[in-house]
Amino acid sequence: MDTKYEAQTPVLTTTRRKQRGFLRIIPWIIMTVLAFGTTLSFAAPYITFNPDVSRIPLNPATPWQFTILAIHGITAGLALLIGPFQFLNRLRTRYPAIHRVIGRIYMISVLIGSLAAFYSAAVSLDGFVAQVGFIFVAILWLYSIVQAYKAIRRGNILLHRVWMIRNYALTFAAVILRIWLYAGITYLVITHQLHGPATLTPAYASSVWVSWTVTLVFAEWFINQRLFHSFSRKSIQ
């Protein structure tokens, strides 16, 4: 009886590991699908550099606003699109060269995208509250990618991963912003409270702040509960 149980134990352990691995990848799949959907829906149209595709009102006093906004949309969309693949353990371990190439593309995209975002926010007509929110996230987006770059240049892999998680959380804020905004706009439409452009509603202003604060809070939870715990367990072993 004991011999039979011992023979089955490795099989059960392997099965449980596969089940855990599948459950862990589900959040990654959801994140990737949302990133792809947002990129194709909102960032892709800016490739045409046609001002008619702008989803926010343009400031007539700044003729370069749409061009800078388009640059932000394209680079931010690219970062949003390729970011999830940097979190795949197999890609990092089996194909480190590909991981580094994608990482460089991601960093350059965020660098350009954050500077473009800062300019776009500074000249936007979205209202003071939304402007400040966008400026804050642009600064944090740039700061976190610089810190991630400094960490990897020093060879501090753990710190690099921490800053990259924070940075992609800010990148993913584009997804949360639209989910929150659409929910808010839907509520305003149903209750007949939508008067004027959506960018001037409380739903829009709140979506700017909620998007990156929520993702950063989740990122800090993930860093403390998953990343540090994983590294601690490996060091003990």
Side-chain angles (χ1 to χ4, degrees):
M1 187 71 178
D2 293 338
T3 304
K4 183 179 179 181
Y5 174 78
E6 290 175 0
Q8 290 179 343
T9 301
V11 178
L12 292 174
T13 303
T14 303
T15 303
R16 287 174 181 172
R17 286 179 179 176
K18 289 181 178 180
Q19 291 175 346
R20 290 176 182 176
F22 178 74
L23 292 175
R24 287 178 180 177
I25 203 171
I26 289 178
W28 182 89
I29 293 174
I30 295 173
M31 177 181 70
T32 305
V33 169
L34 290 174
F36 267 72
T38 301
T39 301
L40 294 176
S41 301
F42 297 95
Y46 284 104
I47 296 177
T48 63
F49 280 88
N50 181 2
D52 293 336
V53 305
S54 178
R55 299 180 184 275
I56 64 172
L58 300 175
N59 190 339
T62 53
W64 283 93
Q65 182 186 5
F66 179 76
T67 301
I68 302 299
L69 182 63
I71 292 173
H72 164 68
I74 294 170
T75 53
L78 180 59
L80 184 63
L81 199 63
I82 66 177
F85 298 96
Q86 291 299 85
F87 295 100
L88 293 176
N89 291 326
R90 290 186 178 181
L91 181 65
R92 289 200 305 267
T93 55
R94 294 185 181 183
Y95 308 100
I98 297 177
H99 174 75
R100 287 193 292 268
V101 170
I102 296 177
R104 292 189 183 102
I105 296 173
Y106 178 87
M107 285 189 174
I108 294 172
S109 298
V110 172
L111 178 64
I112 297 173
S114 59
L115 294 174
F118 184 90
Y119 174 85
S120 299
V123 301
S124 73
L125 300 175
D126 295 339
F128 179 75
V129 176
Q131 273 186 296
V132 174
F134 278 129
I135 288 174
F136 260 108
V137 71
I139 293 173
L140 292 174
W141 203 25
L142 176 62
Y143 178 80
S144 57
I145 201 65
V146 170
Q147 294 303 314
Y149 176 75
K150 287 182 177 180
I152 199 62
R153 291 290 294 177
R154 294 194 298 264
N156 193 332
I157 297 176
L158 176 58
L159 187 60
H160 171 73
R161 290 186 65 185
V162 166
W163 280 111
M164 286 301 292
I165 290 171
R166 290 168 177 162
N167 184 267
Y168 191 72
L170 294 168
T171 305
F172 198 77
V175 177
I176 305 302
L177 183 148
R178 284 158 179 84
I179 293 175
W180 183 275
L181 176 60
Y182 280 150
I185 295 301
T186 300
Y187 171 78
L188 292 177
V189 170
I190 292 175
T191 57
H192 306 287
Q193 298 182 50
L194 181 61
H195 307 290
T199 53
L200 298 180
T201 63
Y204 184 78
S206 63
S207 68
V208 175
W209 288 88
V210 168
S211 61
W212 60 271
T213 53
V214 167
T215 53
L216 275 186
V217 168
F218 178 80
E220 293 303 318
W221 172 86
F222 182 86
I223 290 168
N224 284 280
Q225 297 296 321
R226 297 288 297 276
L227 185 62
F228 285 158
H229 177 71
S230 177
F231 268 74
S232 299
R233 185 173 54 189
K234 289 180 180 179
S235 62
I236 293 173
Q237 293 175 349

